[in-house]
């Protein structure tokens, strides 16, 4: 029977329909995304992947079209028959899925062997297909195969487990994982493709050796070149062929021949390998969407207006990271300073919950396009354990979400003119602009308070390699396209940059940051303390764990420790700030503890309390340092930013009370509060004016 892969990562778009249709006694799992009369069918490739390999296309295409995917026999949610004769029926399965979804006619797209399926359907069932997109087509016999195909026939054993000798039955049975890794490294010749290779390994190993053997056994006989050309030549609908010129799996000549035989269009992606859907998703998405709009007819758009540039008000688009409410506080401060420097400046925000709560409370305009963003906080909450968040791996697993959100940004900045883009830790925008520099249409300011993906000791050699690889990619991007970032601002001072290098053979982090960033200083300016929030003469303790639900477990522990703490500190009052995403009911607060959700001026509350218990985030920690409020932090496990970058900065400013979550027992909480209240504060002074300095540098671009 079919098996559904276990996934930790949240999908960028969940299907509206998830069902199975039976074909020849075999269950075929399919999914439908989006709605409307215009349909796109995305066919499966070889069984070494599941339909999830379309993950970077589905969310974008589903905005305008109904997108249908299905798993090939032997993979994903489809059944896994043991009889090889029940494989090789993707055309029949595709038609059954179209019938099951009530789709009379669709545009069909396929990659690799899926492109051959698309062409077969169009040739044999022209009434069902409006157009074909053939990506990296592996149409059999159409042109000569790569030399390795003839050099190592599948049924012969060359006695080698290396190179394309791995593409034999004997080698598969000796070392199937070795073959799968080799295949995907050939599939992705582009540098820095480790995530794509990892995805492929997961899908290929899940399919297993026997399934792939069944697919090879089902191909006995095959077609002649004359038959292949006749079949492709019979396609009468519009055809778009997309092919990378570095494709090591199937030659570019096949894509060219398909375009010739069908009278279709060929787009050659220079530098791309066999899966541009994964390595060049922005370009592929745009090509597919444009072609689908031409073939299927684009949905009607409302009236659009254009204003002559001299008559437009100055406008800026502010993209603020969804990870941490601290970004909203500092970004609003920058926006206010910027408006003072540039009278009449209009600022739109592209942001997600929980930042939208803070922005709207501050009177800022959140652009309606923000509703199309996928929740990054939701993904991180799903990836988190008990006070544990492997944030590096979680961000790597967020690839489809980051791409989907970049496409929202891309569409917005094409639909509306802006004089400036500002991104506070908008790593998705920064990365994809460097990957697609032609997308840049306005000056771009990039802000961050840390630079460098860094490994933790428990991550071992693999994590050290992956972080260095991502760092190298970023360094190469900035060196190749320095004009993408018109200004890069580091939120902090040079000494706040962590020591060490980006990885073996890579530059020192501080030296590189000093050469590529301006330092605007700290954003934490001592606010006017808020008055005590409750009646009573005892000290006030504020427990706050950030804007996401990742800190919910810690907040429960801190609240549970109140009674032990009040026994040590007579008259102690506690304010537990749950934020906008933590369920307040689960805290079960005893008498003496007040629980609140979102607190708009939390920095003032922290400045006015006597002691604070917080997560290990930077903004809150620096606000407490600036206010000279004693505090205890509990950084998340496996969170490299809190454990390395934030810890370095807070220690530099005099914060020494960083504890582990295991210390947050009832007695431990009481001891931590009592000790913090009883010791003098000796923090390094925080110079004000960081937001004003950042705004001054940004204003120079307007």
């Amino acid at each position: 029977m079919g098996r559904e892969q276990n996934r930790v990562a949240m999908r960028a778009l969940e299907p509206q329909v998830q069902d199975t249709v039976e074909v020849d006694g075999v269950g075929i799992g399919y999914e439908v995304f989006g709605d409307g009369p215009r349909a796109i069918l995305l066919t499966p490739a070889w069984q070494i992947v599941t339909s999830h390999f379309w993950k970077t296309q589905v969310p974008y295409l589903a905005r305008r079209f109904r997108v249908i995917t299905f798993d090939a026999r032997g993979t994903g949610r489809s059944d896994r028959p043991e009889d090889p004769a029940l494989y090789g029926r993707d055309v029949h399965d595709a038609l059954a899925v179209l019938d099951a979804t009530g789709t009379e006619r669709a545009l069909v797209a396929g990659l690799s062997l899926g492109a051959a399926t698309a062409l077969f359907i169009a040739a044999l069932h022209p009434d069902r297909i409006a157009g074909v997109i053939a990506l990296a087509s592996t149409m059999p016999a159409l042109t000569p195969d790569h030399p390795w195909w003839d050099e190592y026939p599948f049924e012969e054993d060359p006695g080698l487990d290396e190179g394309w000798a791995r593409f034999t039955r004997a080698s598969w049975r000796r070392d199937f994982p070795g073959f799968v890794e080799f295949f995907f490294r050939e599939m992705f010749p582009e540098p820095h493709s480790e995530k794509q290779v990892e995805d492929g390994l997961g899908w290929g190993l899940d399919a297993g050796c026997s399934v792939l053997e069944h697919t090879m056994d089902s191909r006995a006989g095959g077609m002649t070149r004359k038959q292949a050309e006749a079949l492709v030549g019979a396609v009468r609908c519009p055809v778009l062929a997309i092919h990378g010129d570095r494709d090591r799996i199937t030659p570019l000549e096949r894509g060219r021949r398909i375009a010739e035989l069908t009278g279709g269009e060929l787009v050659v992606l220079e530098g791309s390998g066999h899966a541009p859907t994964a390595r060049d998703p922005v370009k592929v998405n745009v090509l597919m969407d444009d072609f689908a709009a031409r073939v299927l007819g684009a949905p009607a758009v409302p009236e659009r207006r254009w204003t002559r540039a001299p008559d437009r008000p100055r406008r800026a688009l502010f993209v603020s990271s969804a990870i941490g409410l601290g970004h909203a506080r500092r970004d609003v401060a920058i926006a206010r300073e910027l408006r003072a420097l540039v009278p009449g400046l209009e600022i739109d925000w592209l942001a997600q919950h929980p930042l939208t709560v803070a922005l709207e409370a501050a009177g800022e305009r959140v652009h309606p396009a923000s509703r199309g963003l996928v929740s990054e906080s939701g993904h991180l909450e799903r990836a988190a354990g008990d006070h544990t968040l492997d944030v590096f791996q979680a961000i790597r697993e967020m690839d489809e979400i980051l791409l989907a959100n970049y496409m929202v940004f891309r569409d917005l900045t094409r639909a509306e003119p802006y004089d400036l883009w500002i991104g506070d830790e908008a790593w998705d925008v920064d990365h994809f602009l460097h990957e697609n520099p032609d997308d840049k249409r306005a000056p771009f300011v990039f802000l961050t308070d840390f630079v460098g993906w860094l490994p933790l000791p428990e991550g071992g050699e693999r994590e050290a390699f992956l972080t260095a690889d991502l760092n190298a990619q970023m360094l190469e991007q900035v060196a190749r396209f320095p004009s993408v970032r018109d200004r890069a601002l580091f939120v902090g001072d040079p000494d706040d940059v962590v020591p060490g290098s980006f990885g073996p053979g890579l530059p020192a982090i501080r030296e590189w940051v000093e050469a590529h960033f301006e330092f605007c200083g700290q954003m934490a300016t001592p606010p006017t303390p808020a008055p005590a929030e409750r009646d009573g003469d005892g000290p006030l303790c504020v427990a706050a764990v950030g804007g996401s639900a990742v800190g919910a477990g810690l907040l429960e522990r801190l609240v549970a420790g109140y009674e032990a703490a009040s026994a040590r500190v007579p008259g102690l009052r506690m304010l537990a700030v749950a934020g906008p995403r933590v369920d307040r009911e689960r805290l079960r607060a005893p008498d003496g503890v007040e629980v609140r959700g979102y607190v708009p001026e939390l920095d003032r509350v922290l400045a006015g309390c006597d002691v604070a218990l917080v997560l290990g985030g930077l903004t809150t920690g620096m606000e407490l340092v600036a206010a000279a409020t004693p505090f205890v932090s509990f950084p998340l496990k496996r969170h490299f930013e809190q454990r390395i970058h934030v810890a370095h900065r807070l220690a530099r400013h005099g914060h020494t009370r960083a504890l582990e979550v295991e210390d947050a027992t009832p007695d431990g909480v009481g001891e931590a509060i009592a000790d913090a209240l009883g010791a003098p504060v000796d923090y390094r002074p925080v110079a004000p004016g960081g937001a004003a300095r950042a705004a001054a540098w940004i204003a120079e671009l307007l």
Side-chain angles (χ1 to χ4, degrees):
M1 297 297 293
R3 294 183 293 175
E4 189 170 0
Q5 281 188 300
N6 294 323
R7 291 179 296 100
V8 173
M10 187 177 81
R11 298 174 75 169
L13 182 66
E14 294 294 336
Q16 291 177 270
V17 176
Q18 189 177 72
D19 208 342
T20 301
V21 60
E22 188 172 298
V23 186
D24 305 326
V26 178
I28 305 301
Y30 66 86
E31 295 179 327
V32 181
F33 306 82
D35 51 28
R38 302 169 180 85
I40 299 176
L41 175 68
L42 303 178
T43 63
W46 187 29
Q47 276 82 344
I48 203 167
V49 298
T50 72
S51 61
H52 196 209
F53 83 91
W54 290 109
K55 63 181 179 177
T56 49
Q57 281 67 57
V58 166
Y60 185 65
L61 296 176
R63 290 193 210 163
R64 295 208 287 175
F65 307 100
R66 185 164 58 99
V67 179
I68 305 164
T69 67
F70 68 97
D71 288 312
R73 299 170 181 229
T75 66
R77 296 179 56 256
S78 292
D79 289 350
R80 304 187 176 208
E82 295 297 328
D83 184 358
L86 291 176
Y87 286 81
R89 303 188 180 187
D90 286 350
V91 171
H92 298 88
D93 296 343
L95 294 171
V97 168
L98 289 177
D99 291 340
T101 57
T103 307
E104 292 295 326
R105 189 171 173 83
L107 182 148
V108 62
L111 181 138
S112 193
L113 285 172
T117 300
L119 291 165
F120 269 86
I121 302 171
L124 301 175
H125 304 275
D127 57 317
R128 306 298 300 271
I129 303 303
V132 169
I133 302 175
L135 298 111
S137 177
T138 310
M139 182 71 191
L142 195 60
T143 64
D145 289 303
H146 276 314
W148 57 264
W149 187 266
D150 294 326
E151 184 178 355
Y152 300 109
F154 182 69
E155 296 296 346
E156 295 183 12
D157 183 2
L160 298 173
D161 294 319
E162 59 184 37
W164 283 105
R166 286 186 175 277
F167 205 106
T168 59
R169 191 189 304 272
S171 184
W172 287 6
R173 292 183 175 181
R174 284 193 296 266
D175 182 16
F176 184 69
F179 159 71
V180 175
E181 180 171 359
F182 165 77
F183 182 84
F184 281 105
R185 293 202 180 279
E186 290 295 296
M187 189 169 177
F188 296 106
E190 302 91 342
H192 312 298
S193 295
E194 290 300 318
K195 179 59 172 64
Q196 290 75 27
V197 171
E198 283 184 15
D199 284 345
L201 276 167
W203 294 323
L205 294 178
D206 183 69
C209 183
S210 61
V211 166
L212 294 196
E213 285 191 50
H214 293 335
T215 68
M216 297 300 292
D217 294 338
S218 70
R219 298 182 194 178
M223 290 190 300
T224 65
R225 181 174 300 179
K226 183 176 180 180
Q227 290 172 326
E229 290 188 342
L231 187 141
V232 174
V235 174
R236 293 290 179 264
C237 63
V239 173
L240 171 64
I242 302 173
H243 217 109
D245 68 352
R246 293 183 63 192
D247 193 328
R248 297 177 183 174
I249 306 298
T250 186
L252 171 59
E253 286 72 19
R254 283 186 177 165
R256 184 171 288 118
R257 189 65 178 135
I258 287 169
E260 291 172 352
L261 290 169
T262 62
E265 177 186 0
L266 172 65
V267 177
V268 178
L269 302 181
E270 297 183 1
S272 293
H274 189 59
T277 48
R279 284 305 278 119
D280 294 297
V282 174
K283 183 63 176 177
V284 169
N285 285 355
V286 172
L287 288 171
M288 292 181 70
D289 184 72
D290 287 349
F291 183 76
R294 296 199 307 267
V295 170
L296 299 176
V301 296
E303 179 182 272
R304 297 179 63 178
R305 293 178 178 271
W306 178 84
T307 304
R308 294 186 67 248
D311 295 333
R312 297 173 190 159
R314 285 188 173 88
R315 301 180 69 209
L317 180 66
F318 213 131
V319 184
S320 191
S321 171
I323 304 174
L325 278 174
H327 294 100
R329 290 199 290 277
R330 76 187 185 201
D331 293 344
V332 167
I334 292 172
R336 288 171 177 166
E337 296 283 354
L338 193 55
R339 289 191 184 99
L341 294 173
V342 186
L345 177 66
E346 297 178 0
I347 299 178
D348 288 343
W349 297 79
L350 189 63
Q352 308 166 37
H353 192 273
L355 262 75
T356 50
V357 175
L359 294 171
E360 289 167 352
E364 298 289 340
R365 178 181 183 269
V366 177
H367 196 285
S370 299
R371 291 193 290 267
L373 297 172
V374 185
S375 175
E376 296 170 20
S377 290
H379 167 79
L380 294 180
E381 290 166 2
R382 181 169 175 173
D386 183 14
H387 202 70
T388 301
L389 176 58
D390 187 347
V391 71
F392 172 68
Q393 185 60 28
I395 291 173
R396 293 183 76 237
E397 291 291 341
M398 201 159 57
D399 55 344
E400 62 183 281
I401 294 174
L402 295 176
L403 186 279
N405 289 344
Y406 175 77
M407 298 304 294
V408 173
F409 167 85
R410 186 183 187 277
D411 281 358
L412 171 57
T413 53
R414 271 156 177 70
E416 299 185 28
Y418 289 97
D419 299 278
L420 179 69
W421 303 335
I422 309 168
D424 185 352
E425 292 193 11
W427 295 102
D428 51 347
V429 172
D430 184 71
H431 171 77
F432 287 111
L433 280 179
H434 279 94
E435 291 279 287
N436 304 271
D438 294 344
D439 282 357
K440 188 170 183 287
R441 302 161 69 92
F444 175 55
V445 178
F446 180 68
L447 293 92
T448 184
D449 54 39
F450 82 96
V451 178
W453 307 98
L454 297 179
L456 291 167
E458 56 268 36
E461 293 182 1
R462 179 62 178 169
E463 185 169 294
F465 168 75
L466 291 174
T467 53
D469 183 64
L470 278 182
N471 288 335
Q473 177 178 240
M474 185 266 293
L475 298 179
E476 292 165 12
Q477 288 177 332
V478 172
R480 176 64 182 84
F481 298 106
S483 61
V484 167
R485 296 177 180 174
D486 293 272
R487 182 137 286 161
L489 301 179
F490 186 87
V491 180
D493 304 311
D495 287 340
D496 292 322
V497 180
V498 295
S501 75
F502 286 107
L506 298 176
I509 298 176
R510 177 168 171 177
E511 176 183 304
W512 189 88
V513 172
E514 288 182 331
H516 292 84
F517 282 79
E518 304 287 353
F519 292 87
C520 55
Q522 313 301 331
M523 291 290 175
T525 299
T528 303
E533 298 289 334
R534 291 168 55 96
D535 295 332
D537 299 325
L540 174 64
C541 172
V542 174
V545 293
S548 74
V550 173
L554 173 63
L555 192 58
E556 287 185 65
R557 288 171 176 258
L558 299 179
V559 169
Y562 167 74
E563 292 179 343
S566 62
R568 286 175 174 263
V569 183
L572 179 70
R573 297 169 291 143
M574 179 179 282
L575 171 62
V577 181
R581 295 182 70 88
V582 175
D583 180 6
R584 285 177 274 175
E585 296 298 324
R586 66 180 282 187
L587 297 179
R588 299 174 183 173
D591 290 341
V593 177
E594 179 185 1
V595 179
R596 291 191 187 178
Y598 173 65
V599 176
E601 294 185 310
L602 181 60
D603 56 340
R604 293 189 62 210
V605 174
L606 293 171
C609 73
D610 297 283
V611 64
L613 306 175
V614 298
L615 208 57
L618 177 63
T619 302
T620 299
M622 288 305 301
E623 287 172 347
L624 289 162
V625 168
T629 301
F631 71 101
V632 181
S633 62
F634 297 85
L636 289 163
K637 295 179 182 296
R638 295 292 295 131
H639 196 301
F640 79 93
E641 186 184 355
Q642 291 187 4
R643 293 274 168 169
I644 300 175
H645 292 281
V646 177
H648 168 77
R649 186 179 307 207
L650 292 181
R652 191 179 87 81
H653 282 81
H655 171 60
T656 59
R657 299 183 182 279
L659 302 179
E660 297 296 340
V661 67
E662 291 82 4
D663 298 320
T665 62
D667 287 340
V669 171
E671 181 179 353
I673 292 174
D675 288 351
L677 285 170
V681 170
D682 186 22
Y683 296 146
R684 178 189 295 270
V686 175
R693 283 188 291 274
W697 272 312
I698 295 171
E700 292 176 359
L701 299 174
L702 286 166

